[in-house]
Amino acid sequence: MLDYNDIKSKFIQQGYIIIPKLFDLENIDRLKSICARALDRRRKEYLKTQPKFPKKTCSLPEQIEYFSDYSEVIDYLQNTIADQQILSILNCICDRQLFFHGLVYFFNPEELSWRGDWHRDGQINAPEDRTERSRIFSSSFIRVHLALIADDNLEIVAGSHARWDTPQELEIRKELNGKFSDSNLMSSTTRINLQPGDAIFFDGYSIHRGNYFAERSRKTLAILYSSPVDWDTPLTTCFSQPKFLKNLPLEKQAIFRK
């Protein structure tokens, strides 16, 4: 049984909380199959016009219409996104109302490895520090990363969700004074280790990065939740269409409505 007081305390302190065995292996196998089929379709479509497939992410809602069991897949993913245990943890760690923002599958590149850039999710299209600060402290963006296989590709600067960058962090993240955003010199980092079925809930406004190694398999499903803002548009999804929402209990439908 989850200790929600402990979950909230740890999240406030470090900006993330790991929930072991959030989903059982039967559910993980189902999600792994859905992601693999979506990726295979994306790769085939991409290679029709391009010689290589360098991508490392795949937005699932763009792909599931290709499945013969389309409605069944949507129903399963909807229930995963609106899983009661996930929603209870979100309510525990975030005081703002959250809505489903997007569903993304992370995988390893086929050829070139890439050590990701250190970033905060609020920095996109926010070149001025003042703009980014305002976003970070006036809205919420929570990421739930679910490990479909053993996963240690995520690194986080614990506690950075509740403060602004140190001078060194800002130099690396914004590539100032000769520093690079994929630098290994970022201080006080924590590498997250997950086993299949484990999940991490973390503040997307934390300083963090993902790593993508061609020689190491990666299968991570990210479910994104955010408070409404006027500077970012969620990914286009089919999950909020009435014909699919009607199959969900009313209490779960709310997470998909803007």
Side-chain angles (χ1 to χ4, degrees):
M1 187 172 181
L2 296 177
D3 183 339
Y4 287 100
N5 289 329
D6 184 57
I7 287 173
K8 186 168 187 175
S9 175
K10 287 182 178 178
F11 191 87
I12 290 173
Q13 178 182 7
Q14 56 194 24
Y16 71 88
I17 183 71
I18 295 173
I19 307 296
K21 299 180 180 178
L22 179 68
F23 287 163
D24 61 32
L25 293 183
E26 182 178 351
N27 283 313
I28 291 300
D29 286 344
R30 179 73 186 278
L31 290 170
K32 194 186 302 182
S33 174
I34 291 173
C35 291
R37 293 162 63 194
L39 178 59
D40 182 62
R41 181 68 189 196
R42 166 65 66 84
R43 182 179 284 111
K44 289 177 180 177
E45 292 293 321
Y46 189 90
L47 292 177
K48 288 179 181 178
T49 58
Q50 303 293 330
K52 295 181 180 181
F53 185 70
K55 290 179 175 287
K56 61 188 183 303
T57 64
C58 175
S59 296
L60 292 190
E62 299 176 12
Q63 303 303 307
I64 54 181
E65 67 268 23
Y66 297 118
F67 298 157
S68 59
D69 53 348
Y70 178 57
S71 295
E72 184 181 338
V73 169
I74 291 178
D75 180 70
Y76 187 80
L77 291 176
Q78 276 183 321
N79 279 283
T80 299
I81 294 162
D83 178 81
Q84 189 55 57
Q85 192 164 225
I86 289 180
L87 299 185
S88 295
I89 295 171
L90 291 176
N91 289 332
C92 171
I93 63 178
C94 184
D95 294 331
R96 294 188 178 95
Q97 185 175 13
L98 297 174
F99 296 97
F100 171 63
H101 188 95
L103 194 63
V104 181
Y105 178 50
F106 292 92
F107 55 92
N108 54 294
E110 293 185 335
E111 295 184 11
L112 297 178
S113 296
W114 181 59
R115 194 172 289 279
D117 296 324
W118 291 103
H119 66 284
R120 297 180 188 261
D121 286 343
Q123 74 184 55
I124 300 172
N125 298 322
E128 296 182 354
D129 291 353
R130 183 175 62 181
T131 302
E132 188 183 351
R133 282 175 184 258
S134 175
R135 291 180 178 182
I136 290 172
F137 298 115
S138 65
S139 62
S140 297
F141 193 84
I142 306 297
R143 308 179 65 105
V144 181
H145 284 202
L146 181 62
L148 305 185
I149 61 174
D151 187 348
D152 65 349
N153 295 287
L154 176 65
E155 295 178 85
I156 298 176
V157 178
S160 59
H161 68 299
R163 60 167 177 79
W164 188 239
D165 301 48
T166 66
Q168 181 198 39
E169 290 168 348
L170 194 63
E171 284 184 339
I172 292 174
R173 192 165 62 87
K174 297 295 183 72
E175 297 196 321
L176 305 174
N177 301 321
K179 300 296 194 302
F180 296 97
S181 59
D182 62 351
S183 170
N184 286 326
L185 299 178
M186 186 68 75
S187 60
S188 303
T189 64
T190 301
R191 183 178 291 277
I192 305 301
N193 287 279
L194 304 175
Q195 294 302 310
D198 294 353
I200 177 171
F201 291 65
F202 74 97
D203 192 321
Y205 295 149
S206 300
I207 300 173
H208 65 281
R209 72 171 174 182
N211 294 293
Y212 308 89
F213 302 109
E215 69 278 7
R216 293 170 53 191
S217 182
R218 182 181 187 186
K219 302 180 189 297
T220 309
L221 182 62
I223 313 175
L224 315 179
Y225 303 87
S226 66
S227 60
V229 295
D230 58 6
W231 46 264
D232 185 40
T233 302
L235 297 171
T236 301
T237 78
C238 58
F239 298 123
S240 58
Q241 294 180 14
K243 64 179 179 180
F244 298 120
L245 272 183
K246 67 180 182 181
N247 296 323
L248 279 179
L250 287 176
E251 64 272 16
K252 290 189 173 185
Q253 292 182 22
I255 195 72
F256 296 98
R257 299 192 186 279
K258 301 292 185 293

